[in-house]
Structures are given as C-alpha cells and as structure tokens.
Amino acid sequence: MKILKTNPNSVLSLVFILSASILLAGCNLGGSNDEEAPEQTIITITNTQSHGQVMSDGDGNVLYFFTRDVKGASNCNEGCIENWPAISADLLSSSSGLEPSDFGSIQRNDGTNQTTYRGWPLYYFANDNQPGTVNGDGVNDVWYVANPDYSIMIADEQLVGHDGNNYMSDYTQGDEITTFFTDIDGRTLYAFSNDSLNTNTFTDEDFSNNGVWPIFHLELDALPSAIDEADFDVIEVHGERQQLTYKGWPLYYFGGTNDVDGDQEPGETRGVSFPQPGVWPIVNTGLSEAPAPE
C-alpha cells in the first residue's frame, strides 16, 4: 500500500514531535543547505461517509486500533504489518482539536517507531484504496477505525488474576485470549456476579468500599462498531452517584485493597480472581442480560 505524505507547508500545523529522529531532521548535520526538507506525516481528523469523523493522516488515509494492543505494545508484526502498516507521525494538525498530550511513540520489534493515541498504536489498512475509505473496521473482530471520541474500547488479552495465574474465559486456569471491555485508556471493566438488573448490590450506602470496586460512569460518546449503545443505561447508586450499566449489569473498575493491588496498568485483569475466580467477571458483547431482582 502506498501511503501518501503531506508537505507541512501546505497544511496549517502545530509541530508535534514524536521521536528524536524528527528533532535531528531539523538540524543541519553538515549536509548541503540546498537539500530539500524531508516530507512529513501529520495526524488530523477526516470526515468519512460511513463512520463520521475519524483520525487520519493529512491526506485522509484512515487510521485504526488493534484490540491486541491494549497494553501499549504492537502485536501486529511479520505478515500482519504488510496488511496493517504502522504510522509514524511528525506533526499534529492544529485545526483538528486533537490534544498533543494524548499522543506518544513506541519502538516496534523491527526497531522502527510507531505513533500511539492514548496508548493504542495506530495503523493504516492496506485495502483502503483511497483517502476517506474505511474498509478495515471490524475486520476479524479485532480491528476498529480510530475514533478519538471512543468512550469504551474492546481488548483481546490473556486474563491474569491478582494471584498471578492465567485464566480462560470460563475462569478456570489456562491460556486463552479473551475479549473484554476497557475504558479508552485500557482500564478493564467488570460486572459483579451478585448484582441484578440495573441494581448495584455491592456498594455500601456510605461508599466506604467504593475504593475496592469503584463504580464506573461517563457520558457515552463514540463506541466501536461491535458495541451497541442501546445495551447501556445509567442508574443512580444510593441516590448520590451515577453508574453505567451494560445489559443491565452495573460496571466497575478493580481498585484493590490494602493487601491486593488493583488494576494499575492498561490491560491488567487482576480482578478476575478476586476474591475468587468468577465473582467479578470481565464484560464483553457475549455477556447475558443481568437477571431481574428477586
């Protein structure tokens, strides 16, 4: 796939340095003063007919997230990268409304740099044959168009409990990649097996135990295409705080206790084994609707 580059002189841009190589590119290291400046790639927002506003390069080539990258490292290597080329950007469009602090850079296994958005590495799709096309969204249920307004993301990763054991999706010990929801920053979302339809049975009235399993709430903006917004609702907890529910299940983070650390890094799933496996399951589209209160 040929990825077009944009000359920064033709685009109103705010310099957004993502790697030391870009700094060096601006220096005269003894070469001729007549040498042309290298072309640079910017990240901006493109309005697409099928998916609305999404992230792209300056020519409108759309960018994507990979659900296996929840921990911040790229898991698209070897043959994968031929179909999903990584982007290494130099500039951030000043007119896009994107925040420079949301972007970063990682080093890939092949030694090249790749741009990240809120920890998620960014890619092109080789089958997007022209700017503004979105042919990669939903591919194999692991690739989703990069929308800066996602409230929730989908992750695919090995479940690892607070006890250090690997767990499968049925919460027995073993190795298996499981799909689960996180917030946009990769923090895992859980349900409580003793809750019922739109009813939080865990949180104390004075919220004294909220630090262990903090209630999760935000205003939903964009969602990956595999997630149906109609499955979400909002409840009042003890008349004081709002909590988001999915298929009737109130949603929580795992905050931990004085003796057990909660989820501290993107993609961690320590809560799946606390206090024992299956009490606090992860959340995904396969979750059954919460039962009615007894």
Side-chain angles (χ1 to χ4, degrees):
M1 173 182 176
K2 182 179 179 181
I3 303 302
L4 302 177
K5 303 290 185 179
T6 299
N7 191 312
N9 294 326
S10 66
V11 180
L12 179 62
S13 306
L14 170 67
V15 175
F16 177 48
I17 304 301
L18 295 178
S19 66
S21 62
I22 303 306
L23 290 172
L24 293 174
C27 300
N28 186 345
L29 300 180
S32 169
N33 291 333
D34 296 331
E35 291 180 0
E36 292 185 4
E39 293 183 341
Q40 295 177 309
T41 302
I42 72 167
I43 291 180
T44 188
I45 296 292
T46 288
N47 189 45
T48 66
Q49 187 173 11
S50 58
H51 289 73
Q53 291 191 329
V54 300
M55 283 191 283
S56 72
D57 67 13
D59 292 314
N61 296 302
V62 172
L63 303 177
Y64 294 86
F65 295 138
F66 184 31
T67 62
R68 288 297 315 280
D69 291 350
V70 62
K71 292 189 174 181
S74 173
N75 284 281
C76 180
N77 298 292
E78 300 176 353
C80 172
I81 205 65
E82 297 178 8
N83 292 320
W84 301 92
I87 179 174
S88 181
D90 313 318
L91 307 172
L92 183 66
S93 170
S94 62
S95 60
S96 66
L98 297 170
E99 292 292 333
S101 60
D102 287 333
F103 291 84
S105 181
I106 59 171
Q107 188 173 68
R108 297 177 47 77
N109 290 346
D110 60 8
T112 61
N113 291 330
Q114 183 171 6
T115 302
T116 64
Y117 177 76
R118 299 188 75 164
W120 295 90
L122 293 168
Y123 304 83
Y124 296 105
F125 182 41
N127 288 344
D128 284 347
N129 49 21
Q130 62 182 355
T133 58
V134 185
N135 294 319
D137 188 64
V139 168
N140 296 326
D141 297 324
V142 294
W143 292 96
Y144 293 96
V145 65
N147 189 317
D149 296 324
Y150 281 150
S151 301
I152 289 174
M153 257 301 290
I154 299 173
D156 283 282
E157 186 54 88
Q158 172 69 55
L159 302 180
V160 182
H162 81 289
D163 54 10
N165 292 321
N166 288 356
Y167 288 90
M168 297 190 293
S169 56
D170 62 359
Y171 306 105
T172 59
Q173 290 188 31
D175 297 335
E176 179 184 59
I177 300 300
T178 296
T179 302
F180 54 94
F181 291 174
T182 72
D183 65 12
I184 186 57
D185 296 311
R187 191 173 180 187
T188 302
L189 300 176
Y190 299 84
F192 180 37
S193 59
N194 290 337
D195 281 348
S196 55
L197 186 67
N198 291 324
T199 304
N200 175 331
T201 65
F202 172 79
T203 306
D204 289 339
E205 196 166 342
D206 61 359
F207 290 88
S208 58
N209 63 349
N210 189 58
V212 182
W213 292 96
I215 61 177
F216 173 71
H217 176 70
L218 50 63
E219 297 294 332
L220 288 180
D221 291 321
L223 293 169
S225 55
I227 304 177
D228 188 350
E229 185 176 357
D231 288 328
F232 291 89
D233 203 351
V234 177
I235 60 173
E236 295 284 339
V237 181
H238 303 307
E240 293 188 23
R241 302 187 191 179
Q242 292 185 320
Q243 184 174 19
L244 198 67
T245 67
Y246 179 72
K247 295 187 177 180
W249 292 98
L251 300 179
Y252 304 80
Y253 291 122
F254 180 42
T257 68
N258 291 334
D259 300 319
V260 176
D261 290 336
D263 294 337
Q264 299 178 346
E265 299 294 332
E268 286 190 332
T269 57
R270 297 172 60 82
V272 297
S273 62
F274 183 84
Q276 60 190 33
V279 175
W280 291 87
I282 51 85
V283 176
N284 58 36
T285 57
L287 190 66
S288 299
E289 185 171 311
E294 294 183 357

